[in-house]
Structure formats: C-alpha cells, structure tokens
Amino acid sequence: MRVSNWGKARAASLMLAMFGIAMAMPAAQAADPIKLGLLEDASGNFAIAVIPKIHAVELAVGEINAKGGILGRQIKIVAYDTQSDNTRFQEFARRVIQQDKADVVFGAFSSASREAIRPIMDRYHQLYFYNNQYEGGVCDSNTFVTGAVPEQQFSTLIPWMMEKYGKRVYTIAADYNFGQISAEWVRNIVKEKGGTMVGEEFIPLSVSQFSQTIQNIQKAKPDFVVTLLVGANQASYYEQQASANLNIPMASSVNVGQAYEHRRFKAPALKDMYVTANYVEEVNSPESNDFKKRFHAKFPNEPYINQEAANSYDAVYLYKAAVEKAGTTDQKKVAAALRSGSICTNGPSGKVCIDPKSQHLSHTIYLVHVKADHSVDIPKVWNDIKPYWLGSVGCDLSKKSDHSQYTPSHLPKK
Amino acid sequence: MLPNLSGPQTLGKGPLFWVLFFAAVIAAAGVPLFASSFAVSNFSYFLVWTFMAMGLSLMWGYAGILSFGQTAFFGLAGYAYGVISINWGDAHGLTWAALLASLTLPVILASVLGYLIFYGGIREVFVGIVTLSVTLVFETFMAQTAGPEWTIGEARLNGFNGMSGMPALTINFHSGDLIFDGSPFYWLLLALVVLAYLGLRVLVNSRFGNVLVAIRENPERAEMLGYNIRFYQLIVFTIGGFFAGLSGAFYTLWGSYITPSSMGLNAAALPIIWVAAGGRTDITAVLVSTIALTWVSQQLAIYGSQYALVLMGIVLLLVVLFAPNGFVVSVWRSLSKRSFVREAADPVRKFTSAAD
Amino acid sequence: MDFLYYAYAAFYQFADAFSFLVLSGIGLAVIFGMMGVINLAHGEFIMCGAYVTVLSARAGLPLPFAMVCGTLSSGLVGLVLERLIIRRLYQRLFDSIVATWAISIIATQGMLIVAGPSLEGIKTPFGSFELGGISFSVYRAMLPAVALLLLGALYWLFVRTRFGIHSRAAMQDADMAKALGVSTNAIYSKTFGLGAALAGLTGALYAPTMTAVPTMGSAFIVQSFVTVVVSGADVMLGLAPSAAALGLIQALLTGFHGQLIGQIGLLVTVILVVRIMPTGISGFFLRGSGSK
C-alpha cells in the first residue's frame, strides 16, 4: 500500500513539474485567442429568454472571427451553463476568472444571479458585461450594462399611457427587487404627472393563480394596469385576466421584449399590452432586418430574437471597439476605454453608446403595442434615450470608483 | 484513541481504516500546496455542504427523523452571519464572535421548533412537512425584503437578489490581519469537517447513539423501555439544526453572499438526495457522497452542456436502483468483506402509508 | 343585491383556492397518501398532462378529448415508470425520494430539450360572466365543481369498488392481501397509474389557464404536498376538509392582506394544523371512532 502510494506521489509530482513547465511558457502570444467567459442559463427557469442571448454572442463572435478577430486575435467563447441557479453562478464565476482567465465575462439574466457574481467580479477586478434589462442602479466600476433601465423604459412609457388612457394606474409587480424598485419608479412618475395610484400589489414569485388580484383590479377600476410580472408562474396572469374578461390596457417593461409572450400565448391574452423595449424582433429597420437575416441563417430554429439578444450582440461589438481603442486586452485599459465616452456601435436597434458616468448604454426605445390578434405595431419610437439617472444622483464612475446598487430610495451618500 | 470512534453504528474500524482515513486527511490538507487557488476555493465549496448532510444523516439515518427543511437553519445562520458581521466589522476578531453568534440562532430555532414538533406529538412525514413549511416561509419572506426599510443596522437584507459584502473571518495581529480566505479558509473548513465527522462518530457509537437507533427502529418499544424519546429526538433535531447552520454560515463566508433561494424547495431537496444516495445510516457514507455528488453535478454542468441535469438524474436513478443501501455503503461492502466492515443488519422496513 | 354579489365574489375566491389545492393534491393523494411513495415528480406528471393536452388541442382535437389524451398519457407514463423503477422501491420507500427527484429533473430538462422552452398556449374556453360589475371566467368558476366531482368519484372508487378495496388491502398489509388472493403487483401498478393519470388530469384542467413551460410542475408541488399531508392517514376522507381549511385561510388572507400574506399564511396554517392535529385532519376526525 505504502509503496504504491509513494509511486503515485512521485508520478503526481512529475506530472506537476511538467505542468509547471507548460504553464511557464510565454503566456499571451499574439495569436492566442481572446477569452470571452459566458455565464448564461441554458437550462432551468430562465432558459426561454436566455437561449437567444447565448446565440447572439455566438453570432457576433463568429462574425468578428470571420473578419480576422480583434487586433488580429480570434475570440474564444468559454461558456458554462449556470442552470438558473445562483450557486452555479458563483462556482462558475470563480472558475471562469481564476482557471480560464477570461479577458471579459458576459452573463447573468436575473438580477439575483448578477448580484451573486458581482462581488466576485469586483474582488478579481474582472471586466464584466451584464446584458440585460433590469431595475437599474448598479454603479460598479467593473460592470458594464447594455440592457435598458427604468429611466429609459418608464419615463417614456408611463406618461404616454397616462395621456392616452387616463390617470388612474394600478401596478401589479413581482415581490422582489426588480418588481419593487420598478413599481417605485412607476409610482414616482405617476405622482409627478398628476395621476393617482388606485392600487399597487406585490406578488411572490411562486404565485401562479391570480383570481383575487383580478377581482381587486376590477374593483379599483384603473385606466390601465402596469404589469411587472416575472417568471413562468406569473406569466399565467395574462390568460387568467383575459378569461375573466378584464379588458383593461396593460403597460410593462418586461413582457414581449424578453420572453415573447405575444407569440406564446393564445390571442387575445395580451391584447392592448404596451411595452417599452430597446429591441423586439418586429422592429422593421434596415439594421434590424439585416440582423434578423444573419441570426436566422445561423440559428434557423430560434423562436424569437429578443431584446437581450440584441444587447448581447451589441456588447460583443462594444468590447471589440474598446479593445481596439485601448490597443490591448488588458482589462483596466479596456475598462478605461469603455468609459471614455466615445465607445458606440451600430447594432440591430440603431446606434448605442456607453455613458461614462454610469457605464450603462443609451438606447432607442420602441413602444411596442400588442393588438387583439397578437400582431405587433410600434406607435412611437424615442431616439437616443440616455441612462441619465445614476449620473444625476451622484454616481460618476469616470471620476470615482464604486461597487454599489442604488435605488430612488437608496441614493449614493453625498 | 477514543473507544467510541468505532462501533456498531459506523462503517470502518481497525488500523487499516484509520490509516486510510489519516492518509485522506493529510492528502486533503496538502491540496493547497500544489493545487490552483481556484481548485482550493472549489474544494472549500464541496466541504461547505458536508455539515448539513452529516447533521441530516444523524437525524434521519440514525434517529429516523426526516426533515425536509434543513435549509431553514442553513439560511438563518447564513443571513445572521451577514447581518452581524456587517454591523460589527472585521476588527478585533469580531468576525469570529459574529460566527459564534450566528450559530446560536439556528440552535435556538431548532430547539424551539423541535420542542413544538416532538412534544406536540408530531411524527414521521408530518415532521417533514412542518420543516419544509418553515423553510418556505423564510424564503418567501426574505425574497420580498428588497426595500431600504429592511435594514438591520448597517446591513441591508436586499431581498431576492441576496445579501453580499460580509467580511471574511479575520484574526487581527499587531503586524497585520490574517484573513481566512483561500487556503486558510480551506484548512479551517477541513479541520472543522474532520472534527464534526469524528465527533458524530463518537456520538452515534455512544449509548446515546444506541438509543437513537432504538428509537428509529421502534419508537414505541424504546419508550416502553423507559427512554424519554421526545427528549432524544429534540436533542438530535437541535444538533441537526446546528450543523445545517454551520453549513449556512460557511456558505455565506465562502461566497460573501447569501440568497433566499438557498432556502427554497430545490435547495431543501439537495441534502436529502446526498444523504439518501450515499447511505443515510452511516456518517462516513454521507460525507463521501455529499462531496462526490456535488463534484459530479458540477462536472456535469461544465461538460454536460444541456444534458447535465438529465445525466445527473440518470446517475441518481442508477444509484438508487443498483445500490439499495446507498452507493457508498454498497461500494464499501463489495470492496471488502474484511473485518473493518460493519456487517450491520440494515433493517429495511416497509414504510407503509402514514397509517401504521 | 350588492351584498350577494360581494358574497359570491368572496365565495369564488375561496372556491378557486379550494379547487387549486384539491386538484394539485389529488394525484399525490393516491401515490403518496395511499401508497406512501414520496413522489417528488408529481409536478412533472402534471406538466406531462398539460403538455399533451396543449399539443393535442393545437393539433385540432376538441378540448375535452385533448384533456382525455393528457390524462391518459400521464397515466401511461406512470405505469411505465412504476414497472421500470418505482416497483423496485416498495421495500424502501424513502429511496423513492431520490428516484422521483431524479425523474423530476430528467423530465423537466428533457422536456426543455425536446419541446423547447415553451409551448404556444390554448385559450380558456367558455368566456366570462358578470355579476355586480365584476367579471368572472366561466371555466374557472366550474373548476370547483370538477374538483368535488373528482373527490366523490375517487371516494367511491376506493371505498365501494372491488379494485378500491383490494388496493387499500394491499397498501395496508401486502402479505395478508396476497394470502387472500389479491395480486398485489397488479394492484400497485394500477394504483400508481391512476395517481399519475389524476395528476395528468390536473395538468389538463389547468392547461388552458396557465403557461405551458417545462418547469410548470413547480407551481403545484408545494400545495400538493401540504394538502395531502394535512389530510392525514385516511387521505380520501381528509383531502376535502384539508383543502377547504387551507383554501379558506389562504383566500381570506390574500383578500385582506395581499398575496404575500396569503402565501405565508398558507404555510403557517399547515404548521399550526399539524401542531394541533398531529395525525392530520382525518386522524382528528377518526379519533373518536376508535380507529387509529
């Protein structure tokens, strides 16, 4: 026993020595690929909205590699399936940083998973892109956000809805960070514009039955309902409100653009749903049509190209622009280039630029209206809406580093 | 060597077993000397879960108490460490005080809940549903604490997105701080796992352990023999809660993060799977199976692409079909029919419906 | 008149919660309540029923027939799984936790791989009706009646028919039942298949009012276990009062204090009910009659 253990130990140390030699080889040669770590939920609860994101990154990387890569280096995707599980995010964030030594990390769908890995990104000063619409407020030197935020979605949507339908507003929101913070934004804007909140209801993520909520809405008689519902359980609301013949217009920042409810649910469950999204597949512009053509050529079975796919696609090109500006993949220098104020890309939704203060993205915001037959029209487009809020309350990452998330009722200390 | 380290209630005795055991411990302790820092933190991650599993093994495998909600204690301790350590900071060794304080809470919860359960005559599957309800109440409640009003001192609970930013364990020397991070954290965990494992072995091989098994086999008979079975069950339940809390506090320390979903239904099922698949009636089996299954499931997630969960399911099905006493126990028995194997008459009882 | 409308609206909420709890639990009542198999894949049987219903309805089958298809296919899957896996675990029922959990993750992820992340739904039939300015879905208003009907049928099946008596005999004392000439293996098979079919029926009934996704079973699983466990040992007797008690409290709390308190209240009620009646509701009822 002892002898064989010794033998094993010697063999192991020999292998380690060889490994050490291999590791000591000159590290980043010019031809080495750039490593893009990708932590996305290919399975589990969020897979439905995330699979197009993964494909979009693959599409962008494929295009860039076919044209010679970035600074002559190919991009290599190091992808892990995080299974919609926060603990997996933590495991793989460490793996992709420490073991794979990613040059940039993309990933996370839910805000909870982003918050699970953000401390790890910060600890290792890892350049990180969060390519998702969310509740806003992340002011973090290592994090760049390409999704839309409340000031872009609600300051456009709510006033428009109040003008068209009236000033009595009822909000139903998922009872967690996203829903509560978004509801706060809605409340503030409604108040500011002289409207009334006739009801506000928060619903735990596990709830799938909405009879009581539907009755409450009917009693309150709002002019429109803001639905900030999240996840597969809560998606059942739409069919249930339609079958109870609620028949009140809806406004949202999460539906249609993410999990394409208008394609998945039988009409007219989403009749008169209005969503502000920075991209939906139905956007009919030359850039968008070209994007869709390339996307479907590579992924012919993709059921829907959502806004997070457009965000992820843009993120790859933004990273490319920054690396080319910095002339290196050194993460500090790339981050500095990203917040230089001149990093833009012409993506599927039009031109988008990184705001140096908040490290968020400016967006074209489309007002998407779902009709009774679930076809979609776009009655209004707002061009170049800036992610101004964080900057206006005192987050300026170009001057002062920070690692926090702020909300309208939790502002940076002056 | 303490006589109770080996006995009728545990697999493994005799010099060969202990030589192997010490070899394993020494090998594990040597990991940081040659492995990457990632591998060390990953090994720490596997160790984090073993306390909760060993505690459940004591409760379920030895005393016949199936709790479906050990994650309640896990989450309570995890959040408690977060709240306390953020408020107390990492100076003056206060992180250790925060750790101790955060471990008292699951003990208190477990003893109160255990009192209500066992002195209230709740048994069998009803214990499982009560503990499951407790952990789901915790999860649902914590998920909605996103607002700034849910702040305890300096610490924001931060709802479903989870709480982060708690300091690592720190010893403050004049010359500077020793932060328990990376290898020191791993060694600390390893030492605690060894301590917990040996401690549980002594416990289950003691008279106390024999009584537990008697209660598991036939509570009425044990009661007739004069044992205060409720008291024993309460003690075991409290120990199980403590161990789950230990896992929770160290999980928070490991990732500097704790989230309500660590108390949800999926999280609650995992320890039961580890314990049942390895062989719930033996501490060693549960220790090995917890580490092995968390490792396998991680490997599958890395290399299995979209088939990872399907493959994990198949692995578990095979285990349950072909290793009726748990895979570690089965492997153990087939590997060796030598003297250090406990040939326990593993009484496989038919568990009829709640009506017995 | 207004009072009557409000009373109906409140009753509707109670009945809606009641039928959700009954239908969540009804398949599990057979598989877990009677057979003792801790079936963590219960939600996936429901998902299977819902998927087959949606798919066959979209293929052009009228909804009632689609629902029959959903029910039968889930029952069939149950029969196959019983034959291949569950049968080997009757002597060690705790291991059914691991096996059914494994089946559950295989089914969820397998469905994602095979059928994609979501199915286009089907419309809720029958439209709506209005009372005192509040409109209700006719279909959902009918579900409580369906739930009661099913409970009655199940009670009849297990108490009055030969199959039911054999089945209960086999569960209570397999050796004795065998000695009396009951083919216990066949009985186990049929009972498990019945439970799976009932779960499939739940999926079929809720398919038109929910979104069909691979993880949809998780919306039912907690409710199903708490309802069935609270029912106690004689699950056929206890299921209706258990669902009624839990549904009433949940509806009241949700109505007055919102969904969060409704959810938490349901779980706290479970703890309290079990504390007061440690053998479940049926055990509490039967205590007086001398049965254990």
Side-chain angles (χ1 to χ4, degrees), chain A residues 81 83 85 88 91-92, chain B residues 45-46 270 274 290-304 308-309 312 315-316, chain C residues 101:
Chain A
D81 176 7
Q83 300 177 340
D85 176 344
R88 283 269 181 268
E91 291 171 52
F92 290 147
Chain B
Y45 172 78
F46 298 145
L270 284 177
W274 300 326
T290 304
I291 294 174
L293 288 179
T294 42
W295 180 78
V296 167
S297 111
Q298 188 186 64
Q299 292 302 304
L300 285 175
I302 295 168
Y303 300 110
L309 291 170
M312 189 69 208
V315 167
L316 289 172
Chain C
W101 195 73

Coordinates of all heavy atoms in Angstrom, one line a residue, chain A residues 81 83 85 88 91-92, chain B residues 45-46 270 274 290-304 308-309 312 315-316, chain C residues 101:
Chain A
D81 N -23.0 26.5 -18.5 CA -24.5 26.6 -18.2 C -24.7 26.8 -16.8 O -24.5 25.9 -16.0 CB -25.2 25.3 -18.8 CG -26.6 25.3 -18.5 OD1 -27.2 26.3 -18.0 OD2 -27.3 24.2 -18.7
Q83 N -27.6 27.1 -15.3 CA -28.8 26.4 -14.9 C -29.8 27.2 -14.1 O -30.5 26.6 -13.3 CB -28.4 25.1 -14.1 CG -27.5 24.2 -14.9 CD -27.0 23.0 -14.1 OE1 -27.0 23.0 -12.8 NE2 -26.6 21.9 -14.7
D85 N -29.4 29.0 -11.6 CA -29.1 28.6 -10.2 C -28.0 29.6 -9.7 O -26.8 29.5 -10.2 CB -28.6 27.1 -10.1 CG -28.2 26.7 -8.7 OD1 -28.0 27.5 -7.9 OD2 -28.1 25.5 -8.6
R88 N -24.6 28.0 -8.8 CA -23.8 27.7 -10.0 C -23.1 29.0 -10.5 O -21.9 28.9 -11.0 CB -24.7 27.2 -11.1 CG -25.1 25.7 -10.9 CD -24.1 24.8 -11.6 NE -24.6 23.4 -11.4 CZ -24.2 22.6 -10.4 NH1 -23.4 23.1 -9.5 NH2 -24.7 21.4 -10.3
E91 N -20.0 29.4 -8.5 CA -18.9 28.5 -8.8 C -18.2 28.8 -10.1 O -17.0 28.8 -10.2 CB -19.6 27.1 -9.0 CG -20.1 26.4 -7.8 CD -20.9 25.1 -8.2 OE1 -20.3 24.3 -9.0 OE2 -22.1 25.0 -7.9
F92 N -19.1 29.1 -11.1 CA -18.5 29.3 -12.5 C -17.9 30.7 -12.7 O -17.0 30.8 -13.5 CB -19.6 29.0 -13.5 CG -19.9 27.5 -13.6 CD1 -21.2 27.1 -13.9 CD2 -19.0 26.6 -13.3 CE1 -21.6 25.8 -14.0 CE2 -19.3 25.2 -13.4 CZ -20.6 24.8 -13.7
Chain B
Y45 N -15.8 24.7 -1.4 CA -17.2 24.7 -1.7 C -17.8 23.4 -1.4 O -18.9 23.2 -0.9 CB -17.4 25.2 -3.1 CG -18.8 25.0 -3.7 CD1 -19.8 26.0 -3.3 CD2 -19.1 24.0 -4.5 CE1 -21.0 25.8 -3.8 CE2 -20.4 23.8 -5.0 CZ -21.4 24.8 -4.6 OH -22.6 24.6 -5.1
F46 N -17.1 22.3 -1.8 CA -17.7 21.0 -1.6 C -17.8 20.7 -0.1 O -18.7 20.1 0.4 CB -16.8 19.9 -2.2 CG -16.6 20.0 -3.7 CD1 -15.4 19.7 -4.4 CD2 -17.7 20.4 -4.5 CE1 -15.3 19.8 -5.7 CE2 -17.6 20.5 -5.9 CZ -16.4 20.2 -6.5
L270 N -31.8 19.0 -1.9 CA -30.5 18.5 -2.2 C -29.9 17.7 -1.0 O -29.4 16.6 -1.3 CB -29.6 19.7 -2.6 CG -29.7 20.2 -4.0 CD1 -28.8 21.4 -4.2 CD2 -29.4 19.1 -5.0
W274 N -28.4 13.8 -1.2 CA -27.0 13.4 -0.9 C -27.0 12.3 0.1 O -26.3 11.3 0.0 CB -26.2 14.6 -0.4 CG -26.0 15.7 -1.3 CD1 -25.9 15.7 -2.7 CD2 -25.9 17.1 -1.0 NE1 -25.8 16.9 -3.2 CE2 -25.8 17.8 -2.2 CE3 -25.9 17.8 0.2 CZ2 -25.7 19.2 -2.2 CZ3 -25.8 19.2 0.2 CH2 -25.7 19.9 -1.0
T290 N -21.8 13.3 -0.2 CA -22.0 14.7 -0.4 C -21.0 15.3 -1.3 O -21.2 16.1 -2.2 CB -22.1 15.4 1.0 OG1 -23.1 14.8 1.8 CG2 -22.4 16.9 0.8
I291 N -19.7 15.0 -0.9 CA -18.6 15.6 -1.7 C -18.7 15.0 -3.1 O -18.5 15.8 -4.1 CB -17.2 15.3 -1.0 CG1 -17.2 16.0 0.3 CG2 -16.1 15.7 -1.9 CD1 -16.0 15.6 1.1
A292 N -18.9 13.7 -3.3 CA -18.9 13.1 -4.6 C -20.0 13.7 -5.5 O -19.8 14.0 -6.6 CB -19.0 11.6 -4.5
L293 N -21.2 13.8 -4.9 CA -22.3 14.2 -5.7 C -22.3 15.7 -6.1 O -22.6 16.1 -7.2 CB -23.7 13.9 -5.0 CG -24.1 12.5 -5.0 CD1 -25.4 12.3 -4.2 CD2 -24.2 11.9 -6.4
T294 N -21.8 16.6 -5.2 CA -21.6 18.0 -5.5 C -20.6 18.1 -6.6 O -20.7 18.9 -7.6 CB -21.3 18.9 -4.3 OG1 -20.3 18.2 -3.6 CG2 -22.5 19.2 -3.5
W295 N -19.5 17.3 -6.5 CA -18.5 17.3 -7.6 C -19.0 16.8 -8.9 O -18.9 17.4 -9.9 CB -17.3 16.4 -7.1 CG -16.2 16.4 -8.1 CD1 -15.2 17.3 -8.3 CD2 -15.9 15.3 -9.1 NE1 -14.4 16.9 -9.4 CE2 -14.8 15.7 -9.8 CE3 -16.5 14.1 -9.4 CZ2 -14.3 14.9 -10.9 CZ3 -16.0 13.3 -10.4 CH2 -14.9 13.7 -11.1
V296 N -19.7 15.7 -8.9 CA -20.3 15.1 -10.1 C -21.2 16.1 -10.8 O -21.2 16.4 -12.0 CB -21.0 13.8 -9.9 CG1 -21.9 13.4 -11.1 CG2 -20.0 12.7 -9.5
S297 N -22.1 16.7 -9.9 CA -23.1 17.6 -10.5 C -22.4 18.9 -11.1 O -22.8 19.4 -12.1 CB -24.1 17.9 -9.5 OG -24.1 19.3 -9.1
Q298 N -21.3 19.3 -10.5 CA -20.5 20.4 -11.1 C -19.8 20.0 -12.4 O -19.9 20.7 -13.4 CB -19.5 20.9 -10.1 CG -18.8 22.2 -10.5 CD -17.7 22.6 -9.6 OE1 -16.7 21.8 -9.5 NE2 -17.8 23.7 -8.9
Q299 N -19.2 18.8 -12.4 CA -18.6 18.4 -13.6 C -19.6 18.2 -14.7 O -19.3 18.6 -15.9 CB -17.9 17.0 -13.4 CG -16.7 17.0 -12.4 CD -15.6 18.0 -12.9 OE1 -15.1 17.9 -14.0 NE2 -15.3 19.0 -12.1
L300 N -20.7 17.7 -14.4 CA -21.8 17.6 -15.4 C -22.2 18.9 -16.0 O -22.4 19.1 -17.2 CB -23.0 16.8 -14.9 CG -22.8 15.3 -14.7 CD1 -24.0 14.7 -14.1 CD2 -22.5 14.6 -16.1
A301 N -22.3 19.9 -15.1 CA -22.7 21.2 -15.5 C -21.7 21.8 -16.4 O -22.0 22.6 -17.3 CB -23.0 22.1 -14.3
I302 N -20.4 21.4 -16.2 CA -19.3 22.0 -17.0 C -19.3 21.3 -18.4 O -19.2 22.0 -19.4 CB -18.0 21.9 -16.3 CG1 -17.9 22.7 -15.0 CG2 -16.8 22.3 -17.2 CD1 -16.8 22.4 -14.1
Y303 N -19.3 20.0 -18.3 CA -19.1 19.2 -19.6 C -20.3 18.7 -20.2 O -20.3 18.2 -21.3 CB -18.1 18.1 -19.3 CG -16.8 18.6 -18.8 CD1 -16.4 18.4 -17.5 CD2 -15.9 19.4 -19.7 CE1 -15.2 18.9 -17.0 CE2 -14.7 19.9 -19.2 CZ -14.3 19.6 -17.9 OH -13.2 20.1 -17.4
G304 N -21.5 18.7 -19.5 CA -22.6 18.0 -20.0 C -23.5 18.9 -20.8 O -24.6 18.4 -21.3
A308 N -26.7 18.2 -18.8 CA -26.2 18.0 -17.5 C -27.2 17.5 -16.5 O -27.0 16.5 -15.8 CB -25.6 19.3 -17.0
L309 N -28.4 18.1 -16.4 CA -29.4 17.7 -15.4 C -30.0 16.4 -15.8 O -30.3 15.6 -14.9 CB -30.5 18.8 -15.4 CG -30.0 20.1 -14.8 CD1 -31.1 21.2 -15.0 CD2 -29.7 20.0 -13.3
M312 N -27.4 13.9 -14.6 CA -27.4 13.9 -13.1 C -28.6 13.0 -12.7 O -28.5 12.2 -11.7 CB -27.6 15.3 -12.6 CG -27.4 15.4 -11.1 SD -25.7 15.0 -10.6 CE -25.9 14.4 -9.0
V315 N -27.7 9.4 -13.3 CA -26.8 8.9 -12.2 C -27.5 8.5 -11.0 O -27.4 7.4 -10.4 CB -25.7 10.0 -12.0 CG1 -24.9 9.6 -10.7 CG2 -24.8 10.1 -13.1
L316 N -28.4 9.4 -10.5 CA -29.1 9.2 -9.3 C -30.1 8.0 -9.4 O -30.2 7.2 -8.5 CB -29.9 10.4 -8.9 CG -29.1 11.6 -8.4 CD1 -29.9 12.8 -8.2 CD2 -28.4 11.2 -7.1
Chain C
W101 N -37.1 12.4 -7.5 CA -36.4 13.6 -7.7 C -35.6 13.5 -9.0 O -35.6 14.5 -9.8 CB -35.5 14.0 -6.6 CG -35.0 15.4 -6.6 CD1 -35.8 16.5 -6.2 CD2 -33.7 15.9 -6.9 NE1 -35.0 17.6 -6.4 CE2 -33.8 17.3 -6.7 CE3 -32.6 15.3 -7.3 CZ2 -32.7 18.1 -7.0 CZ3 -31.5 16.1 -7.5 CH2 -31.5 17.5 -7.4

